[in-house]
Amino acid sequence: DKSGKTFKGPNDLARYKNGVYFTASGPWDVKAAPQGGVYYLSSNGHIFAVSRKNLHYPNGIAITSDRKHLVVAEHLKNRILKYEISGDQSLRKESVFIDLSTLPGRYSPTPIDLGPDGLFVDKDGDLYIAQHGGGRILKYSKKGEYIRSYPWPSQWTSNVFVSEENLIVTAVDKYSAPYHGNLSTLKLSR
């Protein structure tokens, strides 16, 4: 940052205008004090914090299709936060957009494994969530309503991308070092 300190766990980014929003997750420890935050790197190289600095492991990040909001996966709280983007790229009006703790289905063996990881917003505004530890990709409407889930062979999905015809997912095969993984696709029916 500006003071020369390193970021704790830089994780994901989303391009916006002439810069990028990015998450710095903090420690991967459910018992640690939340230390993560969201930052904006402008085209002139200035970095500034745009969220409170006590998010509990902010992970995936995406811009909504109307370009007016930023959604952030707060992994260790098992939820998706939503912010309004201001004209100066600062964030306002934090709200819990989706609470994944109420979603039934597959669960991981330990609580720290289960949470939202990578995010993707498609052209229709639907949000796709790689549910790390849950072995699935979740799909929500732009209003935050659950649409469906796509079961995945790996329990530890990490990122998701949607093309015109395919769901493309990265995942870890075995959750131990050296964390071998895969990239796989699923044909979408429209």
Side-chain angles (χ1 to χ4, degrees):
D1 67 6
K2 286 190 263 184
S3 63
K5 293 181 182 175
T6 59
F7 292 100
K8 294 180 181 175
N11 195 312
D12 204 354
L13 53 87
R15 184 177 178 179
Y16 184 75
K17 294 195 175 182
N18 293 322
V20 293
Y21 287 101
F22 67 96
T23 56
S25 299
W28 176 254
D29 184 349
V30 74
K31 295 177 186 172
Q35 300 172 36
V38 179
Y39 298 83
Y40 186 79
L41 169 64
S42 67
S43 59
N44 62 10
H46 293 297
I47 297 174
F48 54 96
V50 291
S51 75
R52 59 187 168 87
K53 293 184 180 179
N54 62 345
L55 297 178
H56 214 172
Y57 207 82
N59 203 330
I61 189 168
I63 308 291
T64 57
S65 58
D66 64 7
R67 312 285 296 160
K68 294 180 181 180
H69 296 90
L70 182 77
V71 287
V72 178
E74 191 176 19
H75 189 110
L76 294 178
K77 291 280 188 174
N78 202 21
R79 63 188 185 178
I80 306 297
L81 300 175
K82 187 175 187 178
Y83 299 89
E84 181 181 298
I85 300 173
S86 297
D88 63 358
Q89 283 72 51
S90 63
L91 302 178
R92 306 174 347 141
K93 300 181 182 177
E94 177 186 299
S95 63
V96 176
F97 183 49
I98 300 168
D99 179 359
L100 295 171
S101 66
T102 62
L103 188 67
R106 296 166 64 178
Y107 292 99
S108 64
T110 58
I112 196 168
D113 290 335
L114 184 67
D117 200 330
L119 304 177
F120 184 84
V121 176
D122 70 13
K123 63 183 169 89
D124 298 323
D126 294 331
L127 176 65
Y128 292 78
I129 304 166
Q131 191 184 36
H132 185 268
R136 59 188 173 178
I137 302 300
L138 305 170
K139 182 179 180 182
Y140 281 82
S141 74
K142 59 184 162 189
K143 293 180 180 180
E145 299 159 336
Y146 175 80
I147 296 173
R148 68 165 295 173
S149 67
Y150 299 90
W152 218 254
S154 172
Q155 184 176 356
W156 301 283
T157 56
S158 57
N159 220 326
V160 58
F161 178 82
V162 180
S163 70
E164 288 297 317
E165 300 177 356
N166 294 298
L167 190 63
I168 304 166
V169 175
T170 58
V172 175
D173 293 324
K174 186 176 180 189
Y175 202 58
S176 60
Y179 301 100
H180 293 286
N182 65 73
L183 175 84
S184 52
T185 62
L186 173 70
K187 184 87 166 165
L188 292 173
S189 57
R190 295 276 178 179

